[in-house]
Amino acid sequence: AQSVTQPDIHITVSEGASLELRCNYSYGATPYLFWYVQSPGQGLQLLLKYFSGDTLVQGIKGFEAEFKRSQSSFNLRKPSVHWSDAAEYFCAVGYSGNTPLVFGKGTRLSVIA
Amino acid sequence: GAGVSQSPSNKVTEKGKDVELRCDPISGHTALYWYRQSLGQGLEFLIYFQGNSAPDKSGLPSDRFSAERTGGSVSTLTIQRTQQEDSAVYLCASSSGKRGGSLFGGVKETQYFGPGTRLLVL
């Protein structure tokens, strides 16, 4: 069965500092991988996705993620965090983009001055 | 429409009552998904439609939950005899149902989410 683990429930970073959010997945085939962000009271917004090809994926808002098959990981990074990045971040895996996704439990990001 | 819309945005109901939640997908999207987001459980898949048929209902937690989709567009999630544990945010998403795009796995293979319906069962 597919599963996604986000080991960090809550992370606090200073504005301007770099960020890395961890995601590990368990999957029997080549996965489709996604990162979504959810601001309080809002739905989920897609940050980036990986299907194949270049393992370093660029997304919106300056985020990037790297797919590492050997480590079953798809970690999200940003070189310099802004206060507006404070939100909940979800990693997800699926057979394709058109089938139900399995989500991790999310990582809440707080940004301090 | 421009995005996925859901109604109502908030619903408060009494235990034992039935509720209907509505989802309007992005125009032209053939695939539609319902997820539930609750404290401690994260985001859980409920049911998935391709057109008007539901090839995967595996996530529905009990027979009190049902969903339908008519005309390949609007979907309604119905919860009968609501219980307090049904309190959650119900999220709907849609995708084109098609593969590929300008890049392999491009915009055609992306699920777009609505703002959700916050359900509180008293």
Side-chain angles (χ1 to χ4, degrees), chain B residues 41-57:
Chain B
Q41 297 298 318
L43 271 153
E44 306 169 281
F45 162 72
L46 298 178
I47 187 170
Y48 150 62
F49 288 91
Q50 180 59 253
N52 291 334
S53 63
D56 191 345
K57 305 179 183 179

Side-chain angles (χ1 to χ4, degrees), chain A residues 12-90:
Chain A
T12 300
V13 300
S14 299
E15 191 170 16
S18 63
L19 171 71
E20 182 169 28
L21 302 182
R22 296 182 291 165
C23 172
N24 291 95
Y25 65 90
S26 173
Y27 197 74
T30 302
Y32 283 57
L33 293 158
F34 305 82
W35 275 100
Y36 283 87
V37 61
Q38 185 179 36
S39 298
Q42 304 296 313
L44 275 71
Q45 181 183 21
L46 180 73
L47 284 176
L48 47 76
K49 59 197 174 197
Y50 171 78
F51 295 160
S52 69
D54 192 347
T55 57
L56 185 62
V57 181
Q58 302 297 320
I60 62 171
K61 304 184 180 185
F63 285 93
E64 66 177 27
E66 187 170 13
F67 170 59
K68 293 186 177 179
R69 185 186 300 276
S70 62
Q71 297 177 19
S72 297
S73 70
F74 189 56
N75 294 348
L76 182 71
R77 300 194 294 248
K78 186 169 184 177
S80 177
V81 170
H82 188 263
W83 64 267
S84 61
D85 294 324
E88 185 120 22
Y89 291 79
F90 293 92

Side-chain angles (χ1 to χ4, degrees), chain B residues 22 25 32 49 51-53 67-76:
Chain B
R22 177 188 167 105
L32 186 148
F49 288 91
N52 291 334
S53 63
E68 65 175 13
R69 189 180 187 196
T70 55
S73 181
V74 171
S75 175
T76 302

